[in-house]
Amino acid sequence: MSQIQNSNQYQIQWFPGHMAKTLRMMEEEIRNVDACLVLLDARIPLSSLNPEIEKIAAHKPRLYILNKADLADPAVTAAWVRYFHAAEAGCVAISAKQKGGTAAVKTAIDAELTELFAKRERRGMAGAKTALMLCGIPNVGKSTFINTFAGSARAKAADRPGVTRGKQWVTAGKYDLLDMPGVLWKKFDSPKIASNLAFIGSIKDDILDGEELAMNLLDEVRAHYPAKVAERYALTPETLALPPYELMEAIAKKRGMLIRGGEADTARAAVMLLDEFRASKWGRISLEVPPEREA
Ligand code: G4P
């Protein structure tokens, strides 16, 4: 478990039918691919690691791709890459949104598949295409990744979780990429995982209490990055130290978000806070640090 403690108590058990279907589809398709690219969110690598995908891909070479590294704390991301490498797992941190952002992935895939390539060479099949399954939770950046990886806008990037529904093959040079819809899992092991997924927008906001979510996010981030929160909302140390709901009220008032009677419009402030965090307006923030390894 992460060292970052979190007071959130979300009990989200959400598993739409199309996600169950996706998992079945993955079970069928896994035998048709050479390796799995597991896209994770660099801000929450473990919380975004779907245990169902781990099970399905257990016998395939895997490469873990920490996407959206441009949004995460660079020192923490570097620690995560070391964490995966220490477990002898292939891992690269990238920003799929940036031009050339996926170049490192191709090198890393080839490193993961040296055995397969040697085997093909021996069999005179060196030119064969490499089939890869791209998997990850909703909103982790799969469409964006494919666009950058394939070098043209083959897959349309969607702006909300769960929009990409069917699987599709995309050819990118010597690779054939099987794009799977984003998938969560049935039951989160801890409330922390659920809240982390909600913070970054991988669980649809409309099934969550926005004010509670924003308040908990604010509380979590100020515990680890107090200066970033204080700077973004020009807060004095006294205001920054307020209980979470009062802090959100203070920020609402500072932004002129008021309802009749001059009270803080916390509903509006919550939407603003989540939007600004997700758009990286608070700066580069990681919500999870690697667990201590047992000696
Ligand atoms: P999905 O297929 O896995 O559901 O994800 P998708 O590619 O649709 O990406 C979801 C959101 O994440 C998009 O933002 C996309 O631009 C953004 N994104 C993907 N990769 C990166 C990255 O490496 N860095 C950053 N900063 N953002 C990334 P959006 O707000 O929904 O759309 P838009 O901003 O592209 O208009």
Side-chain angles (χ1 to χ4, degrees), residues 3-139:
Q3 295 164 342
I4 296 178
Q5 292 303 309
N6 178 316
S7 59
N8 306 324
Q9 291 306 317
Y10 290 105
Q11 295 299 333
I12 302 161
Q13 289 192 13
W14 177 65
F15 196 66
H18 70 83
M19 298 217 181
K21 245 189 249 166
T22 299
L23 287 174
R24 280 200 298 275
M25 207 152 70
M26 289 172 79
E27 272 165 5
E28 283 162 23
E29 293 292 340
I30 193 77
R31 66 181 77 105
N32 300 324
V33 300
D34 299 307
C36 248
L37 303 184
V38 183
L39 228 53
L40 304 175
D41 189 300
R43 294 164 295 176
I44 53 164
L46 274 196
S47 293
S48 58
L49 185 62
N50 186 338
E52 298 293 336
I53 295 178
E54 289 295 282
K55 260 188 250 162
I56 292 171
H59 303 297
K60 289 282 169 182
R62 265 161 296 162
L63 178 67
Y64 297 95
I65 301 170
L66 310 183
N67 189 38
K68 306 197 186 185
D70 57 308
L71 305 180
D73 182 333
V76 178
T77 301
W80 275 113
V81 172
R82 286 195 300 274
Y83 170 84
F84 280 93
H85 286 170
E88 293 185 3
C91 178
V92 279
I94 65 157
S95 173
K97 217 173 168 176
Q98 285 163 5
K99 206 165 170 271
T102 58
V105 174
K106 294 182 182 169
T107 314
I109 295 169
D110 292 355
E112 283 305 303
L113 293 177
T114 43
E115 260 178 52
L116 173 76
F117 294 150
K119 199 158 99 187
R120 281 183 182 165
E121 188 99 336
R122 286 196 300 274
R123 294 180 180 175
M125 293 170 63
K129 285 215 186 256
T130 301
L132 305 166
M133 184 185 276
L134 178 66
C135 22
I137 59 168
N139 218 31

Side-chain angles (χ1 to χ4, degrees), residues 8 29 78 100 107 114 143 175 177 180 212 221 232 240 243 245 290:
N8 306 324
E29 293 292 340
T107 314
T114 43
S143 310
Y175 307 101
L177 213 57
M180 301 303 284
E212 194 186 347
V221 175
R232 177 72 196 163
L240 188 66
Y245 192 77

Side-chain angles (χ1 to χ4, degrees), residues 1-12 43-49 80 185 187-200 203 213 216-217 219-221 223-225 277 285-291:
M1 285 304 304
S2 160
Q3 295 164 342
I4 296 178
Q5 292 303 309
N6 178 316
S7 59
N8 306 324
Q9 291 306 317
Y10 290 105
Q11 295 299 333
I12 302 161
R43 294 164 295 176
I44 53 164
L46 274 196
S47 293
S48 58
L49 185 62
W80 275 113
W185 55 107
K187 206 166 160 211
F188 301 124
D189 283 343
S190 79
K192 168 125 183 77
I193 293 177
S195 51
N196 278 342
L197 290 167
F199 291 154
I200 64 157
I203 295 175
L213 187 65
N216 287 330
L217 173 66
D219 198 24
E220 170 79 11
V221 175
H224 301 281
Y225 300 92
F277 167 74
I285 287 168
S286 295
L287 295 169
E288 204 169 48
V289 296

Side-chain angles (χ1 to χ4, degrees), residues 119-179:
K119 199 158 99 187
R120 281 183 182 165
E121 188 99 336
R122 286 196 300 274
R123 294 180 180 175
M125 293 170 63
K129 285 215 186 256
T130 301
L132 305 166
M133 184 185 276
L134 178 66
C135 22
I137 59 168
N139 218 31
V140 71
K142 289 179 300 301
S143 310
T144 310
F145 176 87
I146 287 186
N147 291 345
T148 310
F149 190 84
S152 63
R154 315 265 180 115
K156 197 179 166 303
D159 64 352
R160 286 290 170 264
V163 174
T164 324
R165 287 286 154 92
K167 60 174 185 191
Q168 53 174 334
W169 282 99
V170 175
T171 298
K174 60 179 185 171
Y175 307 101
D176 278 336
L177 213 57
L178 179 59
D179 179 25

